[in-house]
Amino acid sequence: MTDQKPIHSAVLVKQVPDTHNITGEVMTKDGTMNRNALPAIFNPEDLNALEMALQIRERRGGTVTVITMGPPKAANVLRDALFRGADRVILLTDRKFAGADTLATSYVLKCAVEKAGPFDLLFCGRQAIDGDTAQVGPQLAEKLGIPQITYAETIVEISGDQIVAERVLDSGSEIVRCKLPALLTVVGSANTPRPASVRRRIERKLAAAPGEYAAIRAAWPEFESDAQLETYLTAHGLKIAVWTAEDIGASEEQVGLAGSPTQVHKINFVVLESTESKTIPATPEGIAAMVQELVHEYIVG
Ligand SMILES: Cc1cc2nc3c(=O)[nH]c(=O)nc-3n(C[C@H](O)[C@H](O)[C@H](O)COP(=O)(O)OP(=O)(O)OC[C@H]3O[C@@H](n4cnc5c(N)ncnc54)[C@H](O)[C@@H]3O)c2cc1C
């Protein structure tokens, strides 16, 4: 990174059910997932996206803003982001956002980024572990009309109004250059996300959204009214900003279910039977025989 202009970044993060730890109680008889039976966590690759933004701020200065769209309890991932180093956090929550597919999600995020910015860089995780589509980042870049580098693993250089990054693919890697502002979707191998800092956790323990004021006041009775608490939180940079559809100027027809053309009709379990797998000897002959079979069956050609 050669020149010293500060970089202002926004990181888009999602609170997801912990699908890495699915147990018997989680899957219902009709094949859907009982989300309440799973703990809600920070989407793993969004932590890599946050870490990338924090490392850039450490080298270049600037700010890191973290934004999520979700239910009120998604404030938890924003608090976690503050504990890990974010400067500013924004919760996009509104009943009208419920049932959003990727199109409606990226539209809401676009409206919020336009209101919260301008930003030099936007970061998303490559993919959320619940919806799994990996579409939100690319759609957001399209809607904002800015370049995107997907599957980003390393930032090689940020110089002038250009960024150079390495993206990883199944077949190798590519070094890509594009103009700022740009959006990167970040892969899990990019870095090791820093843990929440104990000092930041202590300093920011009161960080709260307005919907959480009653709970804060129950634990800290010295705040006699919501107004008094709000004044304190605002003065200390601890208020989690909450924006509704109206706040970000979003059109009602384009958010939530109303703005979502996707309909999930059915979810199937895909369980591979052991008879469908075959053990290939790890020898040149074994591999040659497997390739021959795949060609013969027209699976590869
Ligand atoms: C079983 C199931 C199937 C689904 N199928 C589809 C489908 O086929 N088509 C469809 O359009 N939707 C589908 N959805 C809905 C989808 O989960 C939502 O649209 C979701 O809000 C975003 O998509 P995603 O989880 O795939 O995110 P991805 O595109 O995988 O997320 C990539 C990145 O975008 C950012 N991001 C995603 N969501 C948010 C958010 N709410 N706030 C801030 N940043 C965010 C994060 O950085 C994340 O890492 C499905 C949901 C379920 C549960």
Side-chain angles (χ1 to χ4, degrees), residues 133-166:
T133 66
Q135 292 170 358
V136 170
Q139 287 178 356
L140 176 58
E142 282 289 314
K143 287 192 165 84
L144 291 165
I146 60 173
Q148 56 183 279
I149 302 179
T150 53
Y151 298 86
E153 191 178 56
T154 311
I155 294 190
V156 179
E157 184 181 39
I158 301 175
S159 178
D161 66 348
Q162 304 224 326
I163 179 167
V164 182
E166 181 170 13

mmCIF file of all heavy atoms in Angstrom, residues 133-166:
data_model
loop_
_atom_site.group_PDB
_atom_site.id
_atom_site.type_symbol
_atom_site.label_atom_id
_atom_site.label_comp_id
_atom_site.label_asym_id
_atom_site.label_seq_id
_atom_site.Cartn_x
_atom_site.Cartn_y
_atom_site.Cartn_z
ATOM 1 N N THR A 133 -26.226 -18.394 -1.097
ATOM 2 C CA THR A 133 -26.289 -18.102 -2.540
ATOM 3 C C THR A 133 -25.047 -17.388 -3.057
ATOM 4 O O THR A 133 -24.767 -17.451 -4.250
ATOM 5 C CB THR A 133 -27.507 -17.211 -2.866
ATOM 6 O OG1 THR A 133 -27.318 -15.934 -2.262
ATOM 7 C CG2 THR A 133 -28.809 -17.828 -2.406
ATOM 8 N N ALA A 134 -24.337 -16.646 -2.218
ATOM 9 C CA ALA A 134 -23.177 -15.833 -2.639
ATOM 10 C C ALA A 134 -23.577 -14.775 -3.667
ATOM 11 O O ALA A 134 -22.778 -14.380 -4.503
ATOM 12 C CB ALA A 134 -22.047 -16.718 -3.163
ATOM 13 N N GLN A 135 -24.842 -14.347 -3.616
ATOM 14 C CA GLN A 135 -25.319 -13.381 -4.606
ATOM 15 C C GLN A 135 -25.358 -11.948 -4.078
ATOM 16 O O GLN A 135 -25.338 -10.997 -4.854
ATOM 17 C CB GLN A 135 -26.747 -13.754 -5.049
ATOM 18 C CG GLN A 135 -26.823 -15.025 -5.853
ATOM 19 C CD GLN A 135 -28.256 -15.480 -6.065
ATOM 20 O OE1 GLN A 135 -29.203 -14.871 -5.588
ATOM 21 N NE2 GLN A 135 -28.417 -16.566 -6.794
ATOM 22 N N VAL A 136 -25.469 -11.789 -2.756
ATOM 23 C CA VAL A 136 -25.746 -10.460 -2.209
ATOM 24 C C VAL A 136 -24.619 -9.464 -2.524
ATOM 25 O O VAL A 136 -24.889 -8.342 -2.959
ATOM 26 C CB VAL A 136 -26.021 -10.538 -0.685
ATOM 27 C CG1 VAL A 136 -26.078 -9.150 -0.060
ATOM 28 C CG2 VAL A 136 -27.337 -11.273 -0.442
ATOM 29 N N GLY A 137 -23.359 -9.866 -2.340
ATOM 30 C CA GLY A 137 -22.239 -8.963 -2.629
ATOM 31 C C GLY A 137 -22.250 -8.501 -4.083
ATOM 32 O O GLY A 137 -22.300 -7.287 -4.357
ATOM 33 N N PRO A 138 -22.222 -9.467 -5.037
ATOM 34 C CA PRO A 138 -22.241 -9.058 -6.444
ATOM 35 C C PRO A 138 -23.462 -8.202 -6.814
ATOM 36 O O PRO A 138 -23.346 -7.236 -7.562
ATOM 37 C CB PRO A 138 -22.258 -10.403 -7.190
ATOM 38 C CG PRO A 138 -21.532 -11.333 -6.255
ATOM 39 C CD PRO A 138 -21.949 -10.903 -4.877
ATOM 40 N N GLN A 139 -24.635 -8.526 -6.269
ATOM 41 C CA GLN A 139 -25.831 -7.728 -6.587
ATOM 42 C C GLN A 139 -25.695 -6.308 -6.043
ATOM 43 O O GLN A 139 -26.101 -5.338 -6.684
ATOM 44 C CB GLN A 139 -27.080 -8.377 -6.000
ATOM 45 C CG GLN A 139 -27.509 -9.638 -6.735
ATOM 46 C CD GLN A 139 -28.728 -10.291 -6.108
ATOM 47 O OE1 GLN A 139 -29.227 -9.849 -5.070
ATOM 48 N NE2 GLN A 139 -29.197 -11.355 -6.718
ATOM 49 N N LEU A 140 -25.113 -6.198 -4.848
ATOM 50 C CA LEU A 140 -24.942 -4.863 -4.241
ATOM 51 C C LEU A 140 -24.006 -4.011 -5.105
ATOM 52 O O LEU A 140 -24.293 -2.839 -5.377
ATOM 53 C CB LEU A 140 -24.389 -5.030 -2.817
ATOM 54 C CG LEU A 140 -24.041 -3.758 -2.050
ATOM 55 C CD1 LEU A 140 -25.247 -2.824 -1.927
ATOM 56 C CD2 LEU A 140 -23.512 -4.105 -0.657
ATOM 57 N N ALA A 141 -22.904 -4.611 -5.561
ATOM 58 C CA ALA A 141 -21.965 -3.859 -6.425
ATOM 59 C C ALA A 141 -22.677 -3.418 -7.708
ATOM 60 O O ALA A 141 -22.526 -2.275 -8.150
ATOM 61 C CB ALA A 141 -20.756 -4.735 -6.752
ATOM 62 N N GLU A 142 -23.459 -4.324 -8.296
ATOM 63 C CA GLU A 142 -24.198 -3.986 -9.519
ATOM 64 C C GLU A 142 -25.135 -2.813 -9.273
ATOM 65 O O GLU A 142 -25.216 -1.880 -10.061
ATOM 66 C CB GLU A 142 -25.044 -5.188 -9.973
ATOM 67 C CG GLU A 142 -24.260 -6.256 -10.678
ATOM 68 C CD GLU A 142 -23.807 -5.810 -12.064
ATOM 69 O OE1 GLU A 142 -24.634 -5.254 -12.799
ATOM 70 O OE2 GLU A 142 -22.618 -6.005 -12.378
ATOM 71 N N LYS A 143 -25.862 -2.877 -8.155
ATOM 72 C CA LYS A 143 -26.860 -1.832 -7.873
ATOM 73 C C LYS A 143 -26.182 -0.480 -7.621
ATOM 74 O O LYS A 143 -26.749 0.555 -7.930
ATOM 75 C CB LYS A 143 -27.718 -2.219 -6.672
ATOM 76 C CG LYS A 143 -28.699 -3.332 -7.003
ATOM 77 C CD LYS A 143 -29.719 -3.482 -5.887
ATOM 78 C CE LYS A 143 -30.907 -4.292 -6.322
ATOM 79 N NZ LYS A 143 -30.748 -5.726 -6.236
ATOM 80 N N LEU A 144 -24.972 -0.519 -7.037
ATOM 81 C CA LEU A 144 -24.247 0.731 -6.771
ATOM 82 C C LEU A 144 -23.470 1.200 -7.997
ATOM 83 O O LEU A 144 -22.931 2.311 -8.017
ATOM 84 C CB LEU A 144 -23.269 0.542 -5.597
ATOM 85 C CG LEU A 144 -23.909 0.353 -4.220
ATOM 86 C CD1 LEU A 144 -22.880 -0.176 -3.220
ATOM 87 C CD2 LEU A 144 -24.506 1.669 -3.713
ATOM 88 N N GLY A 145 -23.363 0.325 -9.003
ATOM 89 C CA GLY A 145 -22.624 0.672 -10.222
ATOM 90 C C GLY A 145 -21.125 0.767 -9.987
ATOM 91 O O GLY A 145 -20.443 1.602 -10.584
ATOM 92 N N ILE A 146 -20.582 -0.088 -9.092
ATOM 93 C CA ILE A 146 -19.142 -0.056 -8.814
ATOM 94 C C ILE A 146 -18.527 -1.423 -9.154
ATOM 95 O O ILE A 146 -19.234 -2.432 -9.164
ATOM 96 C CB ILE A 146 -18.834 0.309 -7.336
ATOM 97 C CG1 ILE A 146 -19.451 -0.719 -6.364
ATOM 98 C CG2 ILE A 146 -19.337 1.713 -7.013
ATOM 99 C CD1 ILE A 146 -19.041 -0.509 -4.907
ATOM 100 N N PRO A 147 -17.183 -1.459 -9.419
ATOM 101 C CA PRO A 147 -16.554 -2.754 -9.727
ATOM 102 C C PRO A 147 -16.542 -3.685 -8.518
ATOM 103 O O PRO A 147 -16.626 -3.211 -7.378
ATOM 104 C CB PRO A 147 -15.128 -2.385 -10.134
ATOM 105 C CG PRO A 147 -14.959 -0.940 -9.903
ATOM 106 C CD PRO A 147 -16.265 -0.333 -9.489
ATOM 107 N N GLN A 148 -16.430 -4.979 -8.790
ATOM 108 C CA GLN A 148 -16.392 -5.959 -7.694
ATOM 109 C C GLN A 148 -15.256 -6.945 -7.918
ATOM 110 O O GLN A 148 -14.934 -7.289 -9.049
ATOM 111 C CB GLN A 148 -17.715 -6.722 -7.625
ATOM 112 C CG GLN A 148 -18.090 -7.412 -8.905
ATOM 113 C CD GLN A 148 -19.454 -8.087 -8.805
ATOM 114 O OE1 GLN A 148 -19.542 -9.179 -8.275
ATOM 115 N NE2 GLN A 148 -20.480 -7.453 -9.326
ATOM 116 N N ILE A 149 -14.638 -7.368 -6.818
ATOM 117 C CA ILE A 149 -13.646 -8.454 -6.869
ATOM 118 C C ILE A 149 -14.178 -9.540 -5.945
ATOM 119 O O ILE A 149 -14.189 -9.371 -4.721
ATOM 120 C CB ILE A 149 -12.242 -7.985 -6.422
ATOM 121 C CG1 ILE A 149 -11.767 -6.821 -7.305
ATOM 122 C CG2 ILE A 149 -11.253 -9.146 -6.475
ATOM 123 C CD1 ILE A 149 -10.398 -6.258 -6.930
ATOM 124 N N THR A 150 -14.666 -10.612 -6.538
ATOM 125 C CA THR A 150 -15.233 -11.694 -5.727
ATOM 126 C C THR A 150 -14.122 -12.683 -5.343
ATOM 127 O O THR A 150 -13.070 -12.725 -5.964
ATOM 128 C CB THR A 150 -16.338 -12.436 -6.508
ATOM 129 O OG1 THR A 150 -15.792 -12.832 -7.761
ATOM 130 C CG2 THR A 150 -17.541 -11.534 -6.736
ATOM 131 N N TYR A 151 -14.378 -13.483 -4.330
ATOM 132 C CA TYR A 151 -13.424 -14.503 -3.855
ATOM 133 C C TYR A 151 -12.067 -13.874 -3.507
ATOM 134 O O TYR A 151 -11.015 -14.466 -3.747
ATOM 135 C CB TYR A 151 -13.234 -15.627 -4.883
ATOM 136 C CG TYR A 151 -14.499 -16.397 -5.163
ATOM 137 C CD1 TYR A 151 -15.414 -15.960 -6.111
ATOM 138 C CD2 TYR A 151 -14.779 -17.559 -4.464
ATOM 139 C CE1 TYR A 151 -16.593 -16.647 -6.351
ATOM 140 C CE2 TYR A 151 -15.942 -18.265 -4.693
ATOM 141 C CZ TYR A 151 -16.851 -17.803 -5.635
ATOM 142 O OH TYR A 151 -18.007 -18.485 -5.866
ATOM 143 N N ALA A 152 -12.063 -12.647 -2.960
ATOM 144 C CA ALA A 152 -10.801 -11.968 -2.666
ATOM 145 C C ALA A 152 -10.115 -12.626 -1.465
ATOM 146 O O ALA A 152 -10.748 -12.909 -0.453
ATOM 147 C CB ALA A 152 -11.055 -10.496 -2.376
ATOM 148 N N GLU A 153 -8.803 -12.884 -1.616
ATOM 149 C CA GLU A 153 -8.050 -13.491 -0.513
ATOM 150 C C GLU A 153 -6.993 -12.537 0.039
ATOM 151 O O GLU A 153 -6.761 -12.490 1.240
ATOM 152 C CB GLU A 153 -7.372 -14.789 -0.977
ATOM 153 C CG GLU A 153 -6.797 -15.601 0.167
ATOM 154 C CD GLU A 153 -6.180 -16.893 -0.284
ATOM 155 O OE1 GLU A 153 -5.283 -16.857 -1.153
ATOM 156 O OE2 GLU A 153 -6.590 -17.955 0.228
ATOM 157 N N THR A 154 -6.357 -11.769 -0.843
ATOM 158 C CA THR A 154 -5.272 -10.877 -0.412
ATOM 159 C C THR A 154 -5.401 -9.537 -1.108
ATOM 160 O O THR A 154 -5.677 -9.500 -2.313
ATOM 161 C CB THR A 154 -3.903 -11.479 -0.821
ATOM 162 O OG1 THR A 154 -3.859 -12.838 -0.404
ATOM 163 C CG2 THR A 154 -2.749 -10.727 -0.188
ATOM 164 N N ILE A 155 -5.180 -8.464 -0.357
ATOM 165 C CA ILE A 155 -5.064 -7.162 -0.995
ATOM 166 C C ILE A 155 -3.594 -6.938 -1.294
ATOM 167 O O ILE A 155 -2.760 -6.930 -0.376
ATOM 168 C CB ILE A 155 -5.639 -6.051 -0.110
ATOM 169 C CG1 ILE A 155 -7.141 -6.294 -0.005
ATOM 170 C CG2 ILE A 155 -5.336 -4.671 -0.700
ATOM 171 C CD1 ILE A 155 -7.921 -5.200 0.617
ATOM 172 N N VAL A 156 -3.276 -6.830 -2.555
ATOM 173 C CA VAL A 156 -1.876 -6.684 -2.951
ATOM 174 C C VAL A 156 -1.452 -5.226 -2.784
ATOM 175 O O VAL A 156 -0.380 -4.930 -2.273
ATOM 176 C CB VAL A 156 -1.689 -7.139 -4.422
ATOM 177 C CG1 VAL A 156 -0.240 -6.980 -4.869
ATOM 178 C CG2 VAL A 156 -2.174 -8.574 -4.594
ATOM 179 N N GLU A 157 -2.324 -4.287 -3.180
ATOM 180 C CA GLU A 157 -1.959 -2.872 -3.149
ATOM 181 C C GLU A 157 -3.200 -2.003 -3.257
ATOM 182 O O GLU A 157 -4.151 -2.368 -3.952
ATOM 183 C CB GLU A 157 -1.047 -2.594 -4.354
ATOM 184 C CG GLU A 157 -0.515 -1.197 -4.409
ATOM 185 C CD GLU A 157 0.366 -0.960 -5.637
ATOM 186 O OE1 GLU A 157 0.033 -1.482 -6.720
ATOM 187 O OE2 GLU A 157 1.372 -0.264 -5.486
ATOM 188 N N ILE A 158 -3.172 -0.886 -2.547
ATOM 189 C CA ILE A 158 -4.171 0.159 -2.802
ATOM 190 C C ILE A 158 -3.353 1.412 -3.095
ATOM 191 O O ILE A 158 -2.573 1.862 -2.246
ATOM 192 C CB ILE A 158 -5.090 0.409 -1.596
ATOM 193 C CG1 ILE A 158 -5.832 -0.872 -1.214
ATOM 194 C CG2 ILE A 158 -6.094 1.518 -1.916
ATOM 195 C CD1 ILE A 158 -6.661 -0.737 0.048
ATOM 196 N N SER A 159 -3.493 1.931 -4.292
ATOM 197 C CA SER A 159 -2.642 3.044 -4.694
ATOM 198 C C SER A 159 -3.473 4.020 -5.519
ATOM 199 O O SER A 159 -4.121 3.618 -6.490
ATOM 200 C CB SER A 159 -1.482 2.483 -5.508
ATOM 201 O OG SER A 159 -0.682 3.533 -5.952
ATOM 202 N N GLY A 160 -3.449 5.306 -5.110
ATOM 203 C CA GLY A 160 -4.273 6.281 -5.818
ATOM 204 C C GLY A 160 -5.726 5.848 -5.756
ATOM 205 O O GLY A 160 -6.239 5.510 -4.689
ATOM 206 N N ASP A 161 -6.382 5.782 -6.919
ATOM 207 C CA ASP A 161 -7.795 5.371 -6.906
ATOM 208 C C ASP A 161 -7.946 3.929 -7.388
ATOM 209 O O ASP A 161 -8.970 3.553 -7.935
ATOM 210 C CB ASP A 161 -8.637 6.330 -7.761
ATOM 211 C CG ASP A 161 -8.269 6.246 -9.231
ATOM 212 O OD1 ASP A 161 -7.214 5.631 -9.553
ATOM 213 O OD2 ASP A 161 -9.031 6.748 -10.065
ATOM 214 N N GLN A 162 -6.887 3.115 -7.174
ATOM 215 C CA GLN A 162 -6.952 1.731 -7.657
ATOM 216 C C GLN A 162 -6.641 0.732 -6.549
ATOM 217 O O GLN A 162 -5.862 1.018 -5.636
ATOM 218 C CB GLN A 162 -5.911 1.531 -8.759
ATOM 219 C CG GLN A 162 -6.064 2.517 -9.897
ATOM 220 C CD GLN A 162 -5.925 1.859 -11.236
ATOM 221 O OE1 GLN A 162 -5.155 0.922 -11.372
ATOM 222 N NE2 GLN A 162 -6.660 2.342 -12.212
ATOM 223 N N ILE A 163 -7.253 -0.432 -6.659
ATOM 224 C CA ILE A 163 -6.949 -1.535 -5.743
ATOM 225 C C ILE A 163 -6.534 -2.748 -6.578
ATOM 226 O O ILE A 163 -7.098 -2.994 -7.652
ATOM 227 C CB ILE A 163 -8.168 -1.874 -4.844
ATOM 228 C CG1 ILE A 163 -7.835 -3.051 -3.917
ATOM 229 C CG2 ILE A 163 -9.422 -2.198 -5.648
ATOM 230 C CD1 ILE A 163 -8.835 -3.248 -2.788
ATOM 231 N N VAL A 164 -5.544 -3.473 -6.066
ATOM 232 C CA VAL A 164 -5.120 -4.726 -6.707
ATOM 233 C C VAL A 164 -5.319 -5.830 -5.671
ATOM 234 O O VAL A 164 -4.853 -5.705 -4.535
ATOM 235 C CB VAL A 164 -3.633 -4.684 -7.131
ATOM 236 C CG1 VAL A 164 -3.236 -5.976 -7.833
ATOM 237 C CG2 VAL A 164 -3.355 -3.476 -8.020
ATOM 238 N N ALA A 165 -6.038 -6.872 -6.052
ATOM 239 C CA ALA A 165 -6.297 -7.959 -5.095
ATOM 240 C C ALA A 165 -6.126 -9.305 -5.782
ATOM 241 O O ALA A 165 -6.267 -9.426 -7.004
ATOM 242 C CB ALA A 165 -7.699 -7.833 -4.522
ATOM 243 N N GLU A 166 -5.822 -10.301 -4.971
ATOM 244 C CA GLU A 166 -5.720 -11.672 -5.488
ATOM 245 C C GLU A 166 -7.007 -12.401 -5.149
ATOM 246 O O GLU A 166 -7.465 -12.364 -4.008
ATOM 247 C CB GLU A 166 -4.528 -12.391 -4.847
ATOM 248 C CG GLU A 166 -4.375 -13.814 -5.370
ATOM 249 C CD GLU A 166 -3.069 -14.467 -4.927
ATOM 250 O OE1 GLU A 166 -2.410 -13.915 -4.020
ATOM 251 O OE2 GLU A 166 -2.741 -15.523 -5.477
#
